[in-house]
Amino acid sequence: MLIVRATKKLLDHTHPPRAVEGDHDSTLLGPWYATALFWRPRLALLVNERTLLPVLLPLAPARSLPARVPDEIATVLDAHPVPRAFIADELRHMQDCRFATTANRSVVGIMNEFTKLAEIYTDDSAHPNLVTLSLRLATTPCSPLYATNVSPDRELAALVGSTAAGSGKGVDGMQHGE
């Protein structure tokens, strides 16, 4: 199960399926945070709690957002050097997507910073490439990551590398000796 911890403005706008007490995230990356960006066009910004990896996606149609979140996350993971086996495993765990309220103010603060940077990077572009913008935001140094890998893209690479090492697979997702 994928748990998306969303801001009130996103929850009020989308009315997604809500997590209940006892629900827990079963993905390797863990919970994601989300907010609505009421730009033209309207967007949703997701940020992974563990790596601070940002993912931008269209908000409309708002009712289908929970169904679209896993594929959009997979698209951005694929744009990073992440093994397909890792992405497939994450997608398998994301089949059930539920929303809850935010619980980590630090991640909410990072979402606010990414929002400001995204506004600057888009430079009033009517239709920015959201994957390219997500990749650019992922290179941003984030203070919660200063003690480890500094930026979300590096944090993701380290996590995927340690996961691959723990499973006996290399960064390419292939079993050693294959």
Side-chain angles (χ1 to χ4, degrees):
M1 174 181 301
L2 170 64
I3 302 293
V4 177
R5 297 194 163 275
T7 60
K8 183 175 178 356
K9 70 180 176 179
L10 181 66
L11 292 172
D12 289 347
H13 189 71
T14 59
H15 307 288
R18 299 295 290 265
V20 295
E21 193 168 331
D23 284 349
H24 66 280
D25 196 289
S26 62
T27 65
L28 181 61
L29 289 174
W32 289 76
Y33 278 62
T35 192
L37 306 179
F38 293 118
W39 301 353
R40 292 196 191 274
R42 291 179 175 186
L43 303 175
L45 169 64
L46 286 92
V47 173
N48 179 254
E49 183 176 42
R50 188 170 182 181
T51 64
L52 302 181
L53 185 73
V55 173
L56 287 158
L57 64 149
L59 185 55
R63 296 277 180 185
S64 71
L65 183 67
R68 292 183 290 116
V69 164
D71 288 336
E72 296 291 342
I73 291 172
T75 297
V76 171
L77 289 175
D78 191 48
H80 287 275
V82 174
R84 292 192 188 274
F86 181 95
I87 297 169
D89 193 43
E90 282 296 278
L91 280 171
R92 187 173 51 80
H93 287 281
M94 291 183 198
Q95 289 178 3
D96 186 12
C97 179
R98 305 250 176 122
F99 283 64
T101 57
T102 60
N104 184 328
R105 291 188 334 201
S106 177
V107 178
V108 173
I110 294 295
M111 281 195 307
N112 291 333
E113 291 300 316
F114 282 153
T115 299
K116 290 175 190 172
L117 284 172
E119 288 173 356
I120 293 166
Y121 294 158
T122 57
D123 195 28
D124 295 326
S125 173
H127 298 285
N129 181 312
L130 299 181
V131 173
T132 301
L133 185 54
S134 296
L135 291 172
R136 185 168 183 192
L137 290 172
T139 64
T140 305
C142 298
S143 59
L145 301 177
Y146 285 169
T148 56
N149 295 296
V150 181
S151 62
D153 59 343
R154 292 178 182 175
E155 190 72 15
L156 175 66
L159 173 67
V160 170
S162 70
T163 302
S167 69
K169 295 187 178 194
V171 223
D172 58 359
M174 300 295 288
Q175 187 72 30
H176 293 291
E178 286 184 318

